[in-house]
Amino acid sequence: MALRGRSQGPYTIVNIRDGSTKEQIRGVRRIFTNNEGLKRFVVKDSQDKLIDVTNNKVLFKDKINPKSVEFLDEHFVVNTYEKVACYDFEGQIVWQYNCPERHSIRNLSRDVKEDEWLIILWNSQTGGPVSICRINDSGC
């Protein structure tokens, strides 16, 4: 499947083999998907949804305004610039890291070898310095 966005109208999900329309989604601002394309996080103006595409089931609805979403086997991790939160697929928070005051989270990535998350913290009051922090799967 491929995702095609339009400047006007809905996002259209098409079958890349034959070009047929699989689904259209209105009001979309951003879409994040896992590598297999089995789960996708849809950011809409009125709400955010995590959708299991294998059965088109909405797993989670909330207004969290993600800047990035990373998927794991049993969880997904959301960066909002102000916090990093790990949710299960029912929408319950597993752990959360709150950004220090006057800082923002610029980047989130997974260090698979160390089994930790790396974040880049930026001091938004002074414009620097930049720090790299590690967060384990308990949020510490």
Side-chain angles (χ1 to χ4, degrees), residues 38-41 48-62 71 74 76 87-92:
L38 299 177
K39 291 187 174 51
R40 84 178 156 243
F41 197 94
D48 304 334
K49 293 181 183 179
L50 176 68
I51 300 171
D52 181 344
V53 244
T54 55
N55 58 15
N56 207 27
K57 177 184 174 192
V58 175
L59 302 172
F60 170 65
K61 280 194 241 184
D62 201 356
F71 292 91
E74 303 293 324
F76 64 101
Y87 295 88
D88 65 21
F89 290 125
E90 300 300 319
Q92 302 301 312

Side-chain angles (χ1 to χ4, degrees), residues 62-84:
D62 201 356
K63 188 68 176 164
I64 58 177
N65 195 23
K67 303 304 176 202
S68 65
V69 177
E70 300 288 335
F71 292 91
L72 300 171
D73 291 336
E74 303 293 324
H75 305 97
F76 64 101
V77 178
V78 175
N79 172 18
T80 67
Y81 287 147
E82 297 163 357
K83 70 178 180 181
V84 175

Side-chain angles (χ1 to χ4, degrees), residues 83-119:
K83 70 178 180 181
V84 175
C86 178
Y87 295 88
D88 65 21
F89 290 125
E90 300 300 319
Q92 302 301 312
I93 291 181
V94 176
W95 59 261
Q96 180 172 306
Y97 172 83
N98 292 315
C99 195
E101 191 174 327
R102 295 185 292 272
H103 285 74
S104 62
I105 299 167
R106 290 295 180 171
N107 195 16
L108 168 71
S109 63
R110 182 82 173 154
D111 182 342
V112 179
K113 184 178 177 186
E114 297 295 325
D115 208 22
E116 293 179 320
W117 294 95
L118 297 173
I119 60 170

Side-chain angles (χ1 to χ4, degrees), residues 3-6 8-13 21 23-31 43:
L3 184 66
R4 180 175 58 208
R6 299 180 183 173
Q8 295 179 348
Y11 270 77
T12 303
I13 299 172
T21 298
E23 182 180 356
Q24 290 189 326
I25 308 170
R26 298 194 176 280
V28 172
R29 289 187 292 131
R30 293 180 74 186
I31 294 181
V43 180

